[in-house]
Amino acid sequence: MNSELIKAVTQIGIITADDVKRLTATELLVVLIEKLNEMVLHINDLDVVNDLFEKGVYDECVAILNEMALDGRLQALVEEAITGNIIVVPSMTVAQINDKIKNGGTILIKSGDYYLTSSESIEVKDNSHVIFEDGAVLRQQTVNATHYEMIDLRHVKNITLERPVCIGERPLHEGTDGEWGHGIAVHDCKNVTILDARVEETWGDGIYIGLPYNESYQYKNDNIKIIRPIIKHCSRNGISVTSSLDVLIDSPYIYKVDRTAPQSGIDIEPEYSSPSGVFLGRVRLTGQAIIDDCNYGVVAHLGELVDSDVDIVIEQLEVIHAMGGLHINSWNETNKGVISVEELICKHPHYSQLYIHNKGLNLPLRINQMVVLDRADGIEAGTNGEYGSAVWLKKDNEISYEVGGVVINHLEIGAGYGVEVYAQGECKDVRIKDLIIPPFNSYHNPVNTWDGDIIIDKMPVRDVTYGTPNYLKSDTYCHEMVYSKDIVMDQNYTLTIGSKLPDGDYTIRTLADNQETYFIQINLESGLTPIGFSNNIQLGTKTGYVILRKQGDTLILLEAYKTTGVN
């Protein structure tokens, strides 16, 4: 409504001066519509009607109403009057939308396309419940920007977003600079729930949770919930979790994140040191998380943390066609807490699916079950840790503190790896309770360590062919080794037992399904003395076995069955 129209309708008493002072332009128009309808239906004073026509008020009102009827604003006003909700329609500019929703409340985004430039965001304020109607889509139209945030939650609390849809401009993007074009950005917020978001084709992250640079903050991202998001074809990460107090991500589906590092489904990377330091509280990944065709499934990059209590919980993570499934980086021994994974499933992987880099002993990793299925077709199995291992533990030479602290209750690995478990550098307190591995040959070491302390409680050793040695490093061991029925008979196989082997009982058995025999030659490292057997033990006829006890500097034969070569 223009000023002349407001002046005219005030002069003839349709709207009072008090209305003009206390109501917005939209609210004034609602009042005008109500008064006009009342006058048309009930007035008998022809002088008033004549005044309306003479001053042009009636014609201008009709013109405004016709325009509003065409672009949906009239229907929105009627719906607002009926429901009490705030209605947003596509004909509104971004500035008009932000003005309309600035006081919070229940906000309905009507179906249609909403176009934003890189300098514009939908700015949601405190105590807002924003519902996107089916077909309501935010679209980024600037094609050369390095930064944008299509929905910006900044220093706000008590927010719910339902079914937001954000489509970026990546297919049309001009240039290669930048990685900060985000679909939804959560900056320093509290009590935020984002339900069923769909974010695609952004120049940065699908959803970014962090702190605003060069601004003070108060909420530190406390109680942030991302429920059932679908994120596709974003450039940097599907979801980034930087410095935050409490974040929950439930049942995400993230597909094909690529272009700029780290290209992960979910990146947990606390950052930004001012004004209250780098921090990370609780991060929970609940439900079934599916991450498909990204560089990494989940990255926990904790290098900036110091003296922090880490609490990361992952319930069920399924990673498909990825370079790495779970990637943990840490360069500080003062961090403590726990990283807990109930189930990690990696399908058609490319390289190492569990990579643990410089993680100190005070921050243990606990995995209940990890299954790595066959490597992707066309990916060549290497023989070193970087390219061949399903599980890769690494300590850099310059790291002075002890690293490791990993327990995996059940680890099952498919075909295609040169090394199933690879430790590069001295790794302590690493235990795999039950290891299931594929057939391997003379070019394949199932467990390979440079140094360290890896305990494998139970590991079947299958299909050792060609009669060449099977090397199990002296500081890596299992309590039960089972040679399968497919082993080549009448061959000689070497098992090396190291002097660092912890005291306890160890079983070596065969399940050969025939009457032939084969030899297990046990080599003892210097400092170990055999009691009751020589270095050649002959196993065969289906179920031969020996039980050995490591006790101090001796290896004692306790029991032998269908076995020759013992004293």
Side-chain angles (χ1 to χ4, degrees):
M1 291 179 67
N2 61 41
S3 59
E4 290 297 322
L5 179 59
I6 292 175
K7 181 178 178 181
V9 296
T10 303
Q11 286 176 345
I12 62 176
I14 296 178
I15 292 176
T16 68
D18 182 62
D19 289 335
V20 175
K21 291 179 180 179
R22 66 185 179 83
L23 300 177
T24 66
T26 301
E27 291 168 334
L28 282 173
L29 187 56
V30 173
V31 172
L32 175 59
I33 293 170
E34 293 173 348
K35 294 293 181 68
L36 286 173
N37 286 335
E38 181 182 343
M39 291 178 67
V40 170
L41 291 174
H42 301 292
I43 64 172
N44 295 312
D45 189 339
L46 294 178
D47 290 336
V48 174
V49 176
N50 288 334
D51 281 343
L52 286 173
F53 280 98
E54 288 175 4
K55 296 180 182 298
V57 174
Y58 189 83
D59 288 342
E60 186 165 352
C61 288
V62 170
I64 292 173
L65 293 176
N66 285 336
E67 179 185 345
M68 294 178 65
L70 290 175
D71 65 21
R73 285 180 292 160
L74 182 59
Q75 180 182 353
L77 289 171
V78 173
E79 190 171 341
E80 284 183 348
I82 294 172
T83 65
N85 296 334
I86 299 167
I87 309 299
V88 173
V89 295
S91 60
M92 296 177 179
T93 66
V94 176
Q96 289 171 337
I97 293 171
N98 287 335
D99 182 67
K100 193 173 183 67
I101 68 175
K102 65 184 179 182
N103 295 317
T106 299
I107 300 161
L108 179 62
I109 310 295
K110 302 294 285 186
S111 178
D113 291 331
Y114 297 77
Y115 292 93
L116 299 89
T117 67
S118 61
S119 60
E120 296 175 317
S121 302
I122 301 300
E123 300 171 0
V124 183
K125 301 303 182 182
D126 286 354
N127 306 312
S128 293
H129 184 175
V130 184
I131 303 168
F132 282 69
E133 194 175 70
D134 287 345
V137 180
L138 304 183
R139 296 186 182 275
Q140 176 59 239
Q141 60 182 353
T142 302
V143 296
N144 57 0
T146 59
H147 295 68
Y148 58 78
E149 292 157 348
M150 299 177 71
I151 299 178
D152 186 14
L153 310 182
R154 188 176 296 262
H155 310 301
V156 293
K157 63 183 185 298
N158 305 330
I159 305 294
T160 298
L161 302 182
E162 286 193 39
R163 303 188 301 276
V165 179
C166 301
I167 307 298
E169 41 48 83
R170 180 179 173 183
L172 302 174
H173 193 92
E174 298 174 357
T176 58
D177 293 339
E179 57 186 62
W180 305 281
H182 308 320
I184 302 173
V186 181
H187 294 289
D188 182 38
C189 295
K190 183 176 182 178
N191 301 335
V192 172
T193 299
I194 301 175
L195 299 169
D196 301 304
R198 179 163 67 91
V199 184
E200 299 179 10
E201 305 288 1
T202 62
W203 197 241
D205 302 334
I207 300 175
Y208 174 85
I209 304 169
L211 299 177
Y213 284 82
N214 303 317
E215 297 181 28
S216 60
Y217 47 85
Q218 55 181 326
Y219 299 127
K220 299 182 181 180
N221 297 318
D222 189 7
N223 191 28
I224 310 300
K225 298 178 180 179
I226 314 295
I227 311 297
R228 298 181 299 274
I230 296 175
I231 299 172
K232 298 180 179 180
H233 299 286
C234 294
S235 294
R236 187 176 69 172
N237 296 306
I239 301 175
S240 287
V241 180
T242 68
S243 293
S244 305
L245 288 181
D246 187 5
V247 174
L248 179 145
I249 303 169
D250 182 76
S251 304
Y253 175 75
I254 302 173
Y255 175 73
K256 203 167 183 62
V257 174
D258 56 14
R259 189 186 69 82
T260 188
Q263 306 172 41
S264 61
I266 298 172
D267 179 26
I268 303 170
E269 187 174 347
E271 61 176 358
Y272 188 42
S273 59
S274 175
S276 62
V278 179
F279 61 91
L280 182 71
R282 182 170 63 163
V283 180
R284 291 168 290 163
L285 181 55
T286 60
Q288 183 183 27
I290 299 177
I291 299 175
D292 188 0
D293 206 10
C294 300
N295 201 33
Y296 299 102
V298 173
V299 172
H301 189 87
L302 310 176
E304 299 298 323
L305 285 178
V306 178
D307 293 323
S308 296
D309 288 313
V310 176
D311 183 6
I312 298 174
V313 175
I314 298 173
E315 287 186 358
Q316 185 177 1
L317 174 60
E318 181 175 319
V319 182
I320 306 168
H321 291 292
M323 175 87 72
L326 178 60
H327 189 128
I328 300 173
N329 285 315
S330 180
W331 287 275
N332 197 301
E333 64 177 325
T334 64
N335 294 321
K336 52 188 180 296
V338 68
I339 300 173
S340 176
V341 180
E342 180 62 27
E343 184 176 56
L344 172 60
I345 300 175
C346 303
K347 297 180 179 179
H348 310 297
H350 292 187
Y351 298 116
S352 298
Q353 292 304 289
L354 177 62
Y355 175 65
I356 304 167
H357 188 201
N358 295 334
K359 184 186 69 61
L361 299 181
N362 293 325
L363 178 58
L365 170 65
R366 303 286 183 259
I367 298 177
N368 185 44
Q369 176 172 277
M370 178 177 174
V371 177
V372 181
L373 302 181
D374 293 352
R375 291 183 71 171
D377 293 340
I379 303 298
E380 183 179 355
T383 56
N384 57 40
E386 183 173 2
Y387 299 105
S389 59
V391 176
W392 182 17
L393 301 96
K394 183 178 181 181
K395 178 183 179 182
D396 291 338
N397 292 332
E398 64 271 21
I399 297 299
S400 60
Y401 58 86
E402 292 184 328
V403 306
V406 179
V407 174
I408 305 175
N409 289 334
H410 177 84
L411 174 58
E412 182 174 347
I413 301 173
Y417 283 94
V419 178
E420 269 71 34
V421 180
Y422 178 76
Q424 181 179 354
E426 187 176 5
C427 300
K428 300 289 187 181
D429 296 341
V430 178
R431 183 165 191 167
I432 300 171
K433 295 184 178 181
D434 186 15
L435 175 62
I436 298 176
I437 56 178
F440 56 87
N441 56 40
S442 60
Y443 302 103
H444 176 147
N445 298 322
V447 179
N448 191 358
T449 66
W450 287 9
D451 197 359
D453 180 14
I454 297 181
I455 302 172
I456 301 175
D457 288 344
K458 184 176 181 180
M459 179 179 71
V461 180
R462 298 180 289 177
D463 298 346
V464 184
T465 59
Y466 312 126
T468 52
N470 169 35
Y471 291 107
L472 294 178
K473 296 295 183 177
S474 62
D475 47 14
T476 304
Y477 63 88
C478 60
H479 288 290
E480 182 175 357
M481 296 183 60
V482 182
Y483 290 80
S484 78
K485 65 181 181 181
D486 299 320
I487 197 167
V488 176
M489 297 296 105
D490 294 322
Q491 297 291 332
N492 186 30
Y493 303 93
T494 301
L495 174 65
T496 300
I497 298 179
S499 59
K500 295 182 180 179
L501 190 70
D503 287 355
D505 294 349
Y506 299 87
T507 301
I508 307 167
R509 73 172 67 242
T510 175
L511 298 178
D513 194 19
N514 51 50
Q515 300 301 313
E516 298 181 75
T517 61
Y518 58 92
F519 296 92
I520 302 296
Q521 178 171 317
I522 298 177
N523 287 341
L524 305 185
E525 284 190 346
S526 176
L528 270 180
T529 302
I531 298 178
F533 70 100
S534 65
N535 275 6
N536 279 312
I537 296 180
Q538 187 175 13
L539 301 175
T541 60
K542 294 186 178 179
T543 55
Y545 68 87
V546 292
I547 301 176
L548 304 173
R549 174 170 293 171
K550 169 66 165 49
Q551 183 173 314
D553 57 0
T554 62
L555 196 63
I556 305 168
L557 176 67
L558 296 182
E559 187 175 344
Y561 178 71
K562 294 185 178 180
T563 302
T564 61
V566 299
N567 295 339

